[in-house]
Amino acid sequence: MSRRVGTDLDSRPAEQSVRPNVGVTVARTWRSRFPSLPAAVVLGLGALAAYELVRVARLITSRLANEDTSIIWVAARDLLSGHLRQPNYYGQSYGSTLEAVPIGVVHALGASWGPATSFVLAAVEWAGWALLAWAAWRRGRRIVAALAVATPVLLTAYHTVYVTIELQAPGPRLLVIAAAALLIAASTRPVALAVAVLLLGVGLQFDAASALLGVPVAVWFGISYLRSRRQLYAIAVGGVIPAVQFAYTKLFYQRHPDYAFHGSPSLRPSASTLSESGGHLREFFALYAPELWRSWLVPVAALAVLTALLIATRRMRYALPAVLAAVIVPYAMSTSRARPEWSLGPLLPRGRILLALPATIWFLFFLVAESGIFATVSTRIGARKLLTGVVVVCLASTAVRVGAFDSRLASWYRRSIAFASQGLYAFTANVVVDRQCDEAVALARRYGVRLIVYQAQHQAYSCAARAPSGIATLVAGFDRRTWALYDEVRNTRSGLLLADPAARICDVARQRAACTRQGSYVILKFGSQPALPFLTAIGFEYRGFGPHCHPTGTFASCRDGRGGADLTRRPFARPPVDQLQARAAITSSYESMFQLAANGAGFPNVELGDRLAGVTTQFSGARQGPDTTAVLDVRFLDDHEAAVRFRLGPRIATGEAVFEGGRWRVALPTFCSAASSSASSEMARLAKVDSCYRAAVA
């Protein structure tokens, strides 16, 4: 009587296990109560993996978030209220917000956003390994199943922290893992094949990096089991939804190109990028080192050894998937996302493009088990000893984490916050941001305003998810929520609240609104008008958007009539009594906007121009003669503000004029933008604009 390797609990021949003695009776009783030691090991290791993930989520990562986290909270609120804003992660044409659905559900059940996010991420990570364990178990590979649920325990604490705090497409990756599990566990069933194709197609469109697992598994299945016409029909049926997804995504961005400010990264390999990546292998593989031997060499060696073993079988069904996995890794390291500028420290490492690597190494180990290379060795050692070894290593890994908790786990809380001071990708304590949101909402309600404008994305998105219905938020600058920008152009408001604005913002705002400062907040009340054009009028710059805007990845995309939204303000009150005189005064100020004061300190024809003495040299090259600046049109907004269309050299631009100190002057934001227009790059232009503006209001 023979048994499968991996299911043996007693390696003795069957005839030796039937001798009537007390020992056998006790053994039978024990086995009747605990019929499967491998099952107990798999369940126990699964529970240990869940404990490790939940412990890190509860003690560390649930207390932290940043703008990439809080924008998912906004997506969760949108999706649960029936609003599908765009196919991908907000503001870009790649990534997904699939994780927002379970996060929103957990939040609706009473959890705060932070814990809801971390526990869902922990559950997604655990579910992926549980599915792979289930697949291996169905194939009779008990030890391989145990290794699947053991992996979260075996990997370094760094990996545990990362997968429970950072949203690098965990949802799509889980879909690919689920597809792999189905192909492994139910290889001959057409229904399972159709579902697997569906999951694989959807997941890979959202996360191309998961091809590291998906492609080898699909190739192995195709070589090993793709035989019948029914299977081809199943593949066709399963591919319908991914095809619809692909077509819908393409059509959406054709109609709404401005929703993809960040386009998909290039998948074209580069020899120079690969060469540079090869000199920094630790940055790619340190995330996947084991806890007991935290060396990036371990995952590299595991991949190399398993690939060599499978090639040595000389069987296509095992060798080709291994070769593909070994090729995809350096290919990924040669693409644009592997470049150092895409990395901002340990919490946004270059190795994130290989997040499917642990599952891929596990799959190669599964293929080794399937190939029977170590069948003799496994039989000789015994399944119980192998399982015992896995358990011992897992317990040792957990013991190390518990014993050195402060250095290996708890320190990540402090480091995640401290990275901000180093200019790296960082997180903020949720309690701080929640308190700021509650303060802002209370103040907005007190003054009867329903829009809060934040300087930072995280605060804006977090408060958008946290604030009660009717209170909207906006980012002063780059906002991923394109529809929110449209809302603030189409709808009118009569007031807003600025969080942490420049110290002397009221000096600019008072020409256009009633300004009240309350601590670190400023409340502006003005005539009914759209908020976004008003904000640009007081010096806030916004990224390009509009129905015909095709962003190029720069902040100035679609500006000055190049397909962008029209942010020109419209009249909302009576014009000045003598419009001809006012128009002449505005024309004179524009034509001499770059003229210095008699003492060379400042620009007298510019709003707050006397405060610009410190930047006169910076804009000396921008000063133009009267014949190069011409006013084309003046439209009065009220009796002390006007929208101006003018020509600056060869360029036509729009700006404003305000009545300040008894005369009409060029609006400060208009001057700063015009004076910086000749900058050599977009970054240089923004720096000049900021320097000019801050000289007057900081």
Side-chain angles (χ1 to χ4, degrees):
M1 179 178 177
S2 63
R3 294 171 181 167
R4 278 188 180 180
V5 174
T7 61
D8 287 342
L9 299 181
D10 190 340
S11 59
R12 294 175 299 170
E15 61 272 13
Q16 294 182 17
S17 61
V18 296
R19 295 194 306 193
N21 57 50
V22 176
V24 170
T25 303
V26 173
R28 286 175 177 171
T29 304
W30 182 85
R31 280 196 291 269
S32 67
R33 294 180 179 178
F34 303 98
S36 175
L37 178 61
V41 169
V42 170
L43 292 175
L45 291 178
L48 184 60
Y51 164 76
E52 287 287 357
L53 290 164
V54 170
R55 183 167 68 111
V56 171
R58 183 177 67 86
L59 297 177
I60 302 171
T61 57
S62 64
R63 301 158 59 194
L64 298 166
N66 64 11
E67 62 271 19
D68 290 340
T69 316
S70 52
I71 194 67
I72 289 293
W73 302 346
V74 175
R77 188 166 176 173
D78 290 341
L79 291 172
L80 291 189
S81 61
H83 296 104
L84 178 61
R85 302 295 189 180
Q86 67 179 97
N88 300 97
Y89 194 85
Y90 288 174
Q92 58 193 46
S93 59
Y94 61 97
S96 84
T97 55
L98 289 179
E99 308 81 15
V101 175
I103 290 172
V105 171
V106 174
H107 174 71
L109 294 174
S112 299
W113 285 114
T117 303
S118 292
F119 286 121
V120 165
L121 293 181
V124 167
E125 177 71 10
W126 184 87
W129 293 109
L131 285 170
L132 293 177
W134 166 78
W137 187 272
R138 291 267 301 180
R139 302 277 300 202
R141 300 297 170 188
R142 310 310 196 211
I143 296 173
V144 180
L147 284 174
V149 288
T151 301
V153 182
L154 296 175
L155 290 175
T156 177
Y158 173 26
H159 184 271
T160 309
V161 170
Y162 188 83
V163 297
T164 57
I165 196 173
E166 184 52 47
L167 286 148
Q168 289 292 329
R173 191 164 58 254
L174 178 61
L175 296 184
V176 174
I177 291 174
L182 281 173
L183 293 177
I184 293 171
S187 305
T188 60
R189 298 183 180 182
V191 174
L193 176 57
V195 175
V197 170
L198 187 158
L199 296 175
L200 195 63
V202 172
L204 290 180
Q205 287 187 68
F206 281 133
D207 179 34
S210 291
L212 178 58
L213 172 66
V215 170
V217 172
V219 169
W220 166 78
F221 173 84
I223 296 174
S224 304
Y225 298 101
L226 194 57
R227 299 286 185 272
S228 69
R229 185 174 296 178
R230 290 184 64 195
Q231 290 176 311
L232 295 178
Y233 290 153
I235 291 174
V237 171
V240 170
I241 291 180
V244 170
Q245 175 196 2
F246 179 82
Y248 166 70
T249 302
K250 289 292 184 183
L251 181 62
F252 180 88
Y253 290 117
Q254 286 177 3
R255 294 186 174 182
H256 307 282
D258 54 339
Y259 276 62
F261 186 83
H262 295 296
S264 300
S266 173
L267 297 178
R268 181 177 300 175
S270 166
S272 60
T273 300
L274 179 60
S275 176
E276 195 280 336
S277 299
H280 301 84
L281 293 179
R282 186 182 185 281
E283 297 178 19
F284 289 93
F285 297 102
L287 187 60
Y288 312 109
E291 183 64 41
L292 297 180
W293 188 4
R294 294 188 292 178
S295 170
W296 61 267
L297 291 170
V298 175
V300 175
L303 180 64
V305 170
L306 291 172
T307 300
L309 288 173
L310 292 169
I311 292 174
T313 65
R314 298 184 179 182
R315 283 180 282 179
M316 187 67 72
R317 64 187 297 185
Y318 301 128
L320 185 57
V323 169
L324 286 173
V327 168
I328 291 174
V329 169
Y331 165 76
M333 295 170 60
S334 70
T335 58
S336 59
R337 292 197 72 186
R339 294 198 57 80
E341 55 265 27
W342 281 78
S343 172
L344 287 173
L347 293 179
L348 197 68
R350 299 168 75 177
R352 69 189 187 280
I353 62 174
L354 302 175
L355 279 169
L357 181 62
T360 304
I361 291 176
W362 175 89
F363 173 67
L364 297 183
F365 189 86
F366 163 77
L367 292 184
V368 168
E370 285 279 297
S371 70
I373 295 175
F374 294 127
T376 303
V377 176
S378 299
T379 304
R380 188 174 301 169
I381 296 176
R384 283 183 294 182
K385 291 182 179 179
L386 290 174
L387 288 171
T388 301
V390 173
V391 171
V392 169
V393 173
C394 287
L395 291 177
S397 180
T398 298
V400 168
R401 290 190 185 194
V402 172
F405 180 77
D406 287 341
S407 62
R408 300 204 176 205
L409 283 170
S411 62
W412 279 104
Y413 179 81
R414 300 185 296 272
R415 294 174 65 191
S416 300
I417 298 173
F419 285 147
S421 62
Q422 305 170 38
L424 301 177
Y425 190 74
F427 287 76
T428 305
N430 291 334
V431 64
V432 174
V433 180
D434 290 349
R435 183 176 63 249
Q436 292 171 344
C437 177
D438 292 342
E439 291 175 354
V441 169
L443 199 59
R445 283 177 162 177
R446 177 181 167 189
Y447 282 89
V449 299
R450 305 178 73 83
L451 176 65
I452 304 172
V453 181
Y454 285 93
Q455 309 298 313
Q457 292 185 64
H458 178 33
Q459 281 81 352
Y461 303 151
S462 179
C463 201
R466 181 179 175 83
S469 178
I471 299 289
T473 70
L474 201 65
V475 184
F478 176 77
D479 199 313
R480 286 182 171 272
R481 302 166 298 170
T482 309
W483 65 91
L485 300 177
Y486 277 111
D487 286 346
E488 299 308 329
V489 172
R490 295 168 179 160
N491 303 325
T492 60
R493 298 186 184 275
S494 57
L496 56 84
L497 185 146
L498 299 176
D500 300 312
R504 295 189 287 181
I505 187 68
C506 284
D507 293 350
V508 175
R510 73 164 52 100
Q511 315 302 329
R512 305 159 181 84
C515 186
T516 304
R517 179 173 285 277
Q518 288 285 338
S520 59
Y521 301 96
V522 165
I523 301 92
L524 299 177
K525 290 295 191 75
F526 42 81
S528 181
Q529 58 187 291
L532 197 59
F534 173 82
L535 287 166
T536 61
I538 62 173
F540 290 85
E541 292 230 353
Y542 280 87
R543 58 101 164 174
F545 69 100
H548 305 292
C549 172
H550 292 266
T552 59
T554 62
F555 203 72
S557 300
C558 315
R559 294 278 181 83
D560 300 329
R562 292 173 289 179
D566 183 9
L567 297 184
T568 305
R569 296 165 74 199
R570 303 290 186 265
F572 55 86
R574 292 182 178 181
V577 176
D578 192 343
Q579 296 186 44
L580 290 177
Q581 183 181 2
R583 186 172 283 107
I586 291 171
T587 300
S588 175
S589 292
Y590 262 77
E591 290 178 348
S592 55
M593 74 164 78
F594 297 108
Q595 178 183 326
L596 290 173
N599 59 1
F603 301 89
N605 297 302
V606 176
E607 176 187 21
L608 302 179
D610 57 322
R611 298 182 183 177
L612 301 177
V615 296
T616 53
T617 55
Q618 177 180 336
F619 298 116
S620 58
R623 294 198 296 275
Q624 321 242 348
D627 59 336
T628 61
T629 304
V631 172
L632 304 178
D633 182 50
V634 176
R635 181 165 50 181
F636 292 101
L637 306 175
D638 57 15
D639 61 0
H640 58 279
E641 297 175 82
V644 182
R645 187 167 175 264
F646 65 101
R647 176 181 285 110
L648 183 64
R651 187 172 65 95
I652 295 177
T654 57
E656 292 194 1
V658 295
F659 193 77
E660 180 204 32
R663 57 174 294 190
W664 285 95
R665 305 176 195 265
V666 178
L668 174 67
T670 301
F671 170 79
C672 291
S673 179
S676 308
S677 60
S678 61
S680 58
S681 66
E682 175 64 6
M683 292 297 293
R685 188 193 72 82
L686 289 173
K688 280 193 170 186
V689 170
D690 185 68
S691 174
C692 172
Y693 188 75
R694 287 187 176 278
V697 302

